[in-house]
Amino acid sequence: MLEERFRNDLVYRKEKVYFIFTMIFSIMMYVFLAVSIIGIVIVGALILLSLFVHGLSMAHIRRNGVRISEIQFSGVYEKAELLAKEMDMKIPTMYVLESSGMLNAFATRFFGKNMVVIYSELFDLTEEGKEDELMFVLAHEFAHIKRRHVLVHMLVLPAMFIPLIGEAYMRACEYTCDRYAAYHVKNIEASKRALTMLAIGKKLAPKVNQDAFVNQIREESGFFAWLSEKLSTHPHLPKRLNALDNWSFPEEKELIKEKKTTVILGISLSILLFAALPIAAGVGIASAIDSLSNSDFAAMFQEDSGMEGYTPLMIAVSENDTEIMLSLLADGADMNETDDYGQSALHLAVSSENTETAKILLEKGATVDLLDSYATTPLNLAAYLENVELVALLLEYGADPAIKDMEGLSAMDYAQDLQNKELIELFNK
């Protein structure tokens, strides 16, 4: 329960949006190539070539890298195994590869098998008493597998040839994986140190003033700073630190954004620099979006949710979009379908403390006492959040205040522990 807010906010909001745009563009390109014999030959040749090159690369790693296992660095393997179990995924095959001083790690697939490769300079952390930092790196790469980013990258490959589009999706994936890693490692300071190491190395990272480093976002601004990030698949490191801070402590750490003048100038100059392809792609995507009905969007979201555990209805609830939510309900969306953590749309409405959305779901017949993977009911969550209005609403629809979660606490217990008189009075009526 103490981790409820973080667990419900692991996916970076823009990842879903950018995924849709890259998929639309990529599908358009695949369809365009498929209608011509030459296009089919080109696509086939590119796929075969990429598989051949990837196969050679992976064979080199599998033969020369040291595989982490129960008998090879067993201590790290055991922790990685627990980490994978907590993330509800099968542990991938892990290799350590000599890196000539480079700090890096990556997730990949080799003929259907998931792999994580850690450069030796990072793996040395296990010998330096910095296992949480190493676990952050591993959890970040595990998250790429969990979110199926590695699999999706092949599908959105055409979008990577258009400046700004594919990179935006890749950067969003990095923000998501940083959240997953910090959440599962449960050590925000170690997580931030791991990111800082990527900027300055392992020895000097503990001496870095992280606030000053983050403030470089303001100091080192301008068109070229903006464009260098937009053309990169990874966010600038100070922005990743700032985003992780803001996600962890939203009331204490503000999210630093680019100056509006920089963004406007950057977009304007980018359009001029990359006029032909972006404009053509933008017109095609806009036409495709305009031609889609709400039901088409629902189907598209449905495909996306199958990859990330969210249904279209859950996405609408999370975004507090009642119009789309009502449209999906009218089309027969299942209100009680759950995500990877067993949470329903009603759980998400309560965690967002959106009474209006919760009321609509209850009026439409949502199961009021549905348990998630942590045996938490919407009422347990509302009581923990001390939201009297939501508690009253859920009780009105028959929620049971005596159901206990995995911590052995009921909604009534939370009211007592929090010494919330209004909640206690509600439960004692």
Side-chain angles (χ1 to χ4, degrees):
M1 287 295 294
L2 296 176
E3 303 294 332
E4 196 77 35
R5 182 184 70 80
F6 297 107
R7 178 156 52 89
N8 293 329
D9 192 30
L10 292 177
V11 180
Y12 182 61
R13 179 175 56 84
K14 292 183 179 180
E15 180 186 329
K16 302 167 187 175
V17 177
Y18 291 143
F19 172 78
I20 291 169
F21 276 93
T22 53
M23 278 301 294
I24 290 174
F25 178 80
S26 296
I27 289 170
M28 290 170 58
M29 288 299 296
Y30 282 129
V31 171
F32 173 76
L33 291 171
V35 297
S36 67
I37 296 177
I38 295 178
I40 295 174
V41 172
I42 292 173
V43 170
L46 288 174
I47 291 175
L48 289 174
L49 179 62
S50 63
L51 286 174
F52 180 76
V53 172
H54 182 67
L56 285 178
S57 176
M58 293 303 100
H60 173 80
I61 291 172
R62 287 159 63 90
R63 180 60 66 87
N64 294 286
V66 176
R67 181 161 63 89
I68 305 171
S69 66
E70 297 95 330
I71 58 174
Q72 191 81 267
F73 299 107
S74 57
V76 175
Y77 183 84
E78 288 173 6
K79 290 191 175 184
E81 194 172 32
L82 288 173
L83 180 64
K85 184 177 180 181
E86 184 179 331
M87 295 177 72
D88 193 25
M89 59 181 286
K90 183 179 179 181
I91 187 171
T93 306
M94 298 175 290
Y95 291 90
V96 180
L97 194 66
E98 202 285 319
S99 59
S100 300
M102 291 182 63
L103 292 166
N104 198 13
F106 62 89
T108 186
R109 283 175 68 84
F110 182 71
F111 290 100
K113 294 183 179 180
N114 293 317
M115 291 174 52
V116 169
V117 179
I118 314 162
Y119 283 12
S120 58
E121 189 73 10
L122 273 177
F123 193 72
D124 286 347
L125 291 169
T126 190
E127 299 296 317
E128 299 172 9
K130 298 175 181 177
E131 288 194 348
D132 280 353
E133 285 85 342
L134 176 61
M135 286 302 110
F136 174 86
V137 174
L138 280 175
H140 180 98
E141 302 308 328
F142 283 14
H144 277 304
I145 295 170
K146 169 74 174 176
R147 296 282 302 160
R148 303 185 185 177
H149 294 154
V150 176
L151 184 62
V152 169
H153 288 172
M154 180 62 71
L155 299 176
V156 300
L157 185 61
M160 298 305 299
F161 292 97
I162 303 299
L164 310 182
I165 296 179
E167 288 87 352
Y169 170 64
M170 302 280 275
R171 288 195 305 275
C173 292
E174 293 300 316
Y175 283 128
T176 291
C177 292
D178 283 347
R179 292 183 181 185
Y180 265 84
Y183 172 77
H184 287 287
V185 171
K186 298 179 177 61
N187 187 336
I188 186 63
E189 292 305 320
S191 301
K192 290 163 59 179
R193 283 195 298 272
L195 288 175
T196 307
M197 288 176 187
L198 300 179
I200 198 170
K202 295 184 297 181
K203 292 183 179 180
L204 294 177
K207 299 182 180 181
V208 170
N209 183 323
Q210 292 181 348
D211 289 335
F213 184 41
V214 167
N215 201 47
Q216 288 179 203
I217 301 171
R218 293 189 178 97
E219 296 169 351
E220 306 296 335
S221 59
F223 168 69
F224 287 104
W226 176 86
L227 185 61
S228 70
E229 182 182 45
K230 298 311 171 189
L231 294 176
S232 173
T233 57
H234 287 64
H236 288 162
L237 285 167
K239 296 190 75 171
R240 289 175 68 177
L241 275 172
N242 178 233
L244 199 56
D245 255 342
N246 176 256
W247 176 72
S248 305
F249 312 104
E251 296 179 358
E252 301 173 23
K253 300 288 186 177
E254 67 169 322
L255 185 64
I256 302 175
K257 298 181 179 180
E258 300 281 1
K259 296 178 181 178
K260 290 184 178 180
T261 52
T262 300
V263 175
I264 293 172
L265 177 63
I267 292 174
S268 301
L269 290 178
S270 296
I271 290 173
L272 292 175
L273 289 172
F274 310 108
L277 289 176
I279 290 176
V283 170
I285 291 172
S287 300
I289 292 175
D290 288 340
S291 66
L292 291 173
S293 63
N294 280 341
S295 60
D296 293 323
F297 263 116
M300 180 171 58
F301 273 123
Q302 195 70 275
E303 293 177 6
D304 185 28
S305 66
M307 298 174 58
E308 58 190 36
Y310 272 67
T311 66
L313 181 62
M314 290 176 191
I315 295 171
V317 169
S318 299
E319 299 292 334
N320 192 24
D321 194 327
T322 55
E323 184 178 347
I324 291 181
M325 186 180 79
L326 288 170
S327 174
L328 292 169
L329 289 172
D331 288 340
D334 183 359
M335 288 175 289
N336 296 321
E337 192 170 350
T338 58
D339 63 10
D340 294 340
Y341 297 98
Q343 292 203 320
S344 65
L346 183 57
H347 280 96
L348 297 179
V350 172
S351 66
S352 301
E353 299 190 72
N354 193 310
T355 306
E356 180 186 358
T357 303
K359 186 174 182 181
I360 291 173
L361 292 168
L362 289 166
E363 288 175 346
K364 298 292 185 181
T367 300
V368 69
D369 281 332
L370 192 66
L371 303 181
D372 68 8
S373 301
Y374 298 84
T376 303
T377 66
L379 183 61
N380 292 141
L381 180 55
Y384 173 75
L385 294 172
E386 298 187 75
N387 192 311
V388 177
E389 187 178 6
L390 272 171
V391 168
L393 175 67
L394 291 163
L395 289 173
E396 180 184 341
Y397 280 85
D400 185 352
I403 296 176
K404 296 181 182 293
D405 59 24
M406 286 183 69
E407 296 181 10
L409 298 173
S410 67
M412 297 174 66
D413 293 329
Y414 281 110
Q416 293 286 352
D417 289 349
L418 295 166
Q419 298 181 352
N420 189 306
K421 294 181 179 179
E422 288 184 270
L423 290 180
I424 293 171
E425 289 177 5
L426 273 175
F427 290 132
N428 289 330
K429 282 185 178 180

